[in-house]
Each structure stands twice: as C-alpha cells, then as structure tokens.
Amino acid sequence: MKKMIYLVMLTASMAITTACSSDDPFDTSNNFTPGGNVPNGIKGSDAIINGGIINVETDGEGAKGINCDNNIYINGGRTNVICTGNGEWDTEDLETKAAACIKCDSIMNINGGEINVKATGSGGKGLKADWEAYITGGKIRVITEGGLYYSNGTQESHDYTGNTDNLDDAYTSSPKGIKIGTKNEHGVLTISGGDLMVRTTGNNAEGIESKGTLDITDGTVMVSAHDDAINSSGDLTISGGTVVAVGTNNDGIDANGNMYLKGGTIIAMGAGGAEAGIDINEQKKLYISGGNIFGIGGRFDGSLGSTTQGIVTTSGSISANSTVTIANGSTTLASFNMPPYSYNNGTILISVPGMQNGSSYTLNLGSTSTTVTASNTINSSMGGGPGGNGVRPGGW
C-alpha cells in the first residue's frame, strides 16, 4: 500500500521558511528530510495547511514552490510563494515544463486562509491542479509576469511572440494565474466563495483557465490578464458573486462551451477589434436567466440561446473607476463600478433583471446619459479598445 504523507500546519504560531534553487529542502516522500535534487520548495504526497505561516522561494527552471503528488487542502494560515525560474525542456517526457507556485497532480481545495503567490519566469503559473479545484473561501492573490515559453528541444525562447496555431502543444508553456487541467486532461473549477485577485502581464498569459468546466456561484473574483481574463474549454456558468474580468489583449470572459449567466454581478472588458468582453464559441450559445451583466469590447462574439431578461447592445466609452447605471425612470435597476481601465467607443452589452423587451431605459456611462431600448436579441459591431492601464491587482 502506498504510504500517505501529509504536510499539516495546525497552529497559528507555526512557521516554515525555505528558499531553494537546485535542491529540495523538504522532500516528504518518507519524512521531512532536507536534501534531494528536485527543484521544489516543499514536496509531498498530500498536503493539508490549517494554519501557521509558510514562506517559499524557488528559482530553479520548472521549479514548484509547493508540489503534491495527490491533493492539497488549504484551510487557514498564510502561505506566501515566489517562483522566479523560467520554463525548461523535459528530456524524458519530450515537452516543455514551467514553474508553478502551488501545484498538485489531483485536486486542489482552498477553504480559507491567505494565499499570496507570484511567478515571474517564462510560462510560470500561480495555482495549478491537474484534475480539479474547489475554492470556497480565503483571500487569494496571484501574480504572474513571465511570457510564453517555447522549446522544441534544441531551440527555446522565454518570451515567444510568434504564431502558435501550428505548433505542437508540447512545445509551449503559457503563463497562467490559475490553471486547472492539463493539455491532455479536462479540468473542473468551482468557485463558491473567497476573495480572489489575479493579475497576469506576460505575453499569452491568461488569468483563470479551466481545461473543462468553470462554475462561479459566489465570492469576489477580480482578474486583469494580458490574454483572456477568464477562459473555459467547456461550459462556463456564473450564478452568483461578483466577477470583474479584464483582458487587456484578448477577451474578458471566454467560453469554448456554452455560457450560462444566472446571477451575480458581472463586468467583462475585452480588447478592441475582434476581441470581446463576452465571447462564446461560434458552435455554442449564451443563455441568460439572471444577473447584472455589463460587457464591453471590440464586439460581442457568439449567439444567444435564450434570455429571461431584456438585453441592450449599444456603443459607448467609459472612464476608469467610473460608475455605470441603467435606470427605468427614477428607479435604478443596476449599478456597475468600473475597473481602473478606460475604454473608447466599445460595443456594450448590458442586461439586468427587470428589463423587458421593447422598453426604454436610461444608460448612464459616467457623466454621459443616453436612452436605450431593450430587446431579446443581441447585435454586435466593431468597437475601439481599452486605454490607460490604471492600477493593477495587488491593489488592482
């Protein structure tokens, strides 16, 4: 029988601080024994963190700050991880590998505590689980700064900017704030609570990605990403919480499956031109049955399956940190606090409960007011793009 080893932090007074480059100071394959030659800050079969303080820094290529062969549970305490190592070519698996601050091969469970992670190297990731992840609570801050890592075993680039459409998946590792699933395994990501802020700035860096389904039922999720802010390979559902997603060079929220918007407050901002605030695969559809929804981008991308509330599609500009409202006479139906990004002449989609097909409403974009009419269809036109980077998370 395989022996199960746990890293357990039980008291608020406990602390572990480790920094490693080319060796592994905590290898728990059998017990906590310094040594080894694998670039992991802390490595174990399973991990449970209930309290205390953990500080980890790694700078090895493809290094992991906390790395578990099975599952990881974070229920409390404060966990701080910095990984500065670049991506590398794996000569055994013949594929690229990248650093990750916290990684597990199976299921990641975050129920509480404070988590601060930063990956600065090429292809680096903040949180990564190969199968599934469930976030029910906690304060989570994720930053990645590295670019796209490319290698074919003989040539490599730590900030690849070429076309990747015809490249084998094994040759690239993209930086991600949170990645659930692998190139070969579908992932499941469910966020039902917590306070999440994710920022990615490197080329091809998405904020939050699930290689399968993605469900947000509660919590606060704020993402600023160089690529898609929030992306799912399968169906994407938002039924509660507050979601703010800014894709500075791509889409705000991108579903490659169907998208179901059922509740909560949603603000999605995409880049200009062909990029969208809300983007659905052309073979799939958007279904709206609730929620206060505001999207702005170069266009709206996708088809509407059905809606139970009126939809306005129009164009306009917004200022960073401004307030957008939609009103029926003297009654404000919804108010949206914009992120610290301005946007010029974008395609706007807005839908809130109480709006009805054929009725007119007052849309206030900061100091600009206009009369709009709701419908049960969506029109899209090409728009402008975001301007002014503003403040980024870590404060946003």
Side-chain angles (χ1 to χ4, degrees):
M1 177 183 293
K2 183 178 180 180
K3 184 178 181 180
M4 303 301 289
I5 303 298
Y6 296 92
L7 164 68
V8 184
M9 305 298 297
L10 295 175
T11 69
S13 61
M14 290 187 67
I16 290 178
T17 299
T18 176
C20 77
S21 175
S22 61
D23 55 1
D24 185 352
F26 292 98
D27 182 345
T28 61
S29 299
N30 293 298
N31 50 44
F32 284 95
T33 304
N37 56 11
V38 179
N40 297 295
I42 298 173
K43 188 178 191 311
S45 176
D46 292 73
I48 301 175
I49 301 173
N50 289 325
I53 300 171
I54 299 177
N55 300 309
V56 180
E57 294 186 30
T58 69
D59 62 12
E61 292 185 345
K64 310 299 186 289
I66 299 175
N67 190 9
C68 295
D69 294 332
N70 296 310
N71 305 321
I72 185 167
Y73 301 83
I74 301 177
N75 303 314
R78 184 167 75 244
T79 303
N80 307 308
V81 183
I82 298 174
C83 292
T84 60
N86 286 314
E88 65 174 349
W89 177 256
D90 190 313
T91 57
E92 293 184 1
D93 294 338
L94 299 180
E95 63 179 2
T96 57
K97 297 290 178 68
C101 294
I102 301 177
K103 179 190 180 297
C104 67
D105 292 351
S106 295
I107 301 173
M108 181 177 294
N109 300 271
I110 300 176
N111 303 310
E114 181 179 340
I115 300 169
N116 303 292
V117 298
K118 183 177 182 179
T120 63
S122 57
K125 298 166 181 65
L127 305 178
K128 185 177 185 297
D130 288 352
W131 287 7
E132 303 171 9
Y134 300 92
I135 300 173
T136 66
K139 181 180 179 181
I140 302 167
R141 300 292 183 263
V142 179
I143 295 173
T144 74
E145 296 178 345
L148 175 65
Y149 176 66
Y150 164 82
S151 177
N152 60 9
T154 57
Q155 298 177 319
E156 71 173 358
S157 170
H158 292 292
D159 191 18
Y160 187 78
T161 58
N163 191 324
T164 61
D165 291 344
N166 297 319
L167 290 179
D168 190 304
D169 285 345
Y171 292 170
T172 60
S173 286
S174 297
K176 312 277 183 182
I178 299 174
K179 180 182 179 181
I180 310 304
T182 68
K183 298 171 182 177
N184 302 313
E185 297 286 343
H186 293 299
V188 175
L189 172 59
T190 299
I191 300 172
S192 58
D195 175 8
L196 286 76
M197 297 182 78
V198 179
R199 181 186 78 201
T200 69
T201 56
N203 180 52
N204 216 59
E206 292 180 324
I208 298 175
E209 181 193 38
S210 171
K211 301 302 282 187
T213 60
L214 195 159
D215 293 276
I216 300 173
T217 64
D218 204 353
T220 300
V221 181
M222 302 180 70
V223 185
S224 169
H226 182 276
D227 204 274
D228 294 337
I230 298 175
N231 178 284
S232 69
S233 296
D235 290 349
L236 189 154
T237 303
I238 300 175
S239 56
T242 298
V243 178
V244 180
V246 180
T248 59
N249 288 272
N250 213 318
D251 302 316
I253 302 176
D254 183 359
N256 291 291
N258 293 317
M259 185 183 296
Y260 301 91
L261 303 182
K262 301 179 178 181
T265 297
I266 302 160
I267 299 173
M269 181 183 292
E275 313 308 338
I278 296 174
D279 185 359
I280 300 97
N281 185 290
E282 62 182 9
Q283 305 298 325
K284 303 295 182 178
K285 295 185 181 297
L286 168 66
Y287 297 89
I288 299 175
S289 58
N292 296 325
I293 304 163
F294 179 89
I296 186 169
R299 63 180 182 179
F300 170 82
D301 216 357
S303 300
L304 181 67
S306 64
T307 183
T308 61
Q309 57 196 43
I311 300 170
V312 166
T313 50
T314 186
S315 61
S317 301
I318 60 171
S319 299
N321 302 308
S322 63
T323 299
V324 172
T325 63
I326 185 81
N328 183 6
S330 60
T331 302
T332 298
L333 300 179
S335 179
F336 301 90
N337 297 317
M338 293 295 107
Y341 294 83
S342 60
Y343 206 107
N344 299 317
N345 190 32
T347 296
I348 293 172
L349 180 148
I350 187 167
S351 179
V352 304
M355 290 175 56
Q356 297 180 350
N357 178 35
S359 297
S360 295
Y361 302 92
T362 302
L363 176 62
N364 298 299
L365 302 173
S367 60
T368 302
S369 180
T370 184
T371 299
V372 294
T373 301
S375 69
N376 55 9
T377 60
I378 294 177
N379 297 314
S380 179
S381 60
M382 300 299 284
N389 288 332
V391 183
R392 305 273 188 132
W396 239 126

